[in-house]
Each structure stands twice: as structure tokens, then as C-alpha cells.
Amino acid sequence: MLKYGRIRAIRKTTDGRYAIAYSIPNAAERSHGYLVGRYVHIATGYPAIRFLPDLQKYRHDTGDFISVV
């Protein structure tokens, strides 16, 4: 099984399994779900920078992509 998305939380259960809360960002809607399994392989990928919406607006309005306020 393969799922693309963002891991929100991982917890180990009392019986040794893992419970994982995840979300899959989508243009139309955001999907959330849970997985439970004994073995989990997580590939983190490249950590991209995520700017807050107000900073994105500032960068778009001013064209300043060098300095961060």
C-alpha cells in the first residue's frame, strides 16, 4: 500500500502496531485518514519551505523574494 500525503501524527499502540493520522492535500478538497499497521516505512522526501499566507501575500505584492520580514 502506498499513500502520498502529509503525516499529522504517529503513535505506537499498546499491542505494538502504529496508528498514523495523515492528510492528502488536493486542489478541490483536503482528504484526511488513519492507517494502522505493524510495519511502517516513511519516506520523508525533500523538505520544502512552506510560507504562511500573509508572507506569501507580502512577497507577491512587493516582489521581494530575497528578504523575509
Side-chain angles (χ1 to χ4, degrees):
M1 175 188 257
L2 177 65
K3 292 275 187 184
Y4 289 101
R6 293 190 177 127
I7 301 295
R8 299 300 181 183
I10 300 175
R11 300 289 184 266
K12 193 166 188 176
T13 62
T14 56
D15 62 353
R17 297 182 299 166
Y18 293 94
I20 302 163
Y22 69 92
S23 65
I24 301 173
N26 188 348
E29 64 183 44
R30 194 172 262 196
S31 168
H32 303 285
Y34 295 94
L35 294 172
V36 178
R38 180 153 309 275
Y39 304 105
V40 178
H41 177 101
I42 299 173
T44 59
Y46 182 77
I49 297 173
R50 293 179 15 201
F51 294 114
L52 294 174
D54 58 340
L55 181 56
Q56 288 179 2
K57 182 178 181 326
Y58 168 80
R59 289 168 57 104
H60 181 267
D61 293 346
T62 63
D64 182 8
F65 296 99
I66 307 263
S67 60
V68 176
V69 176

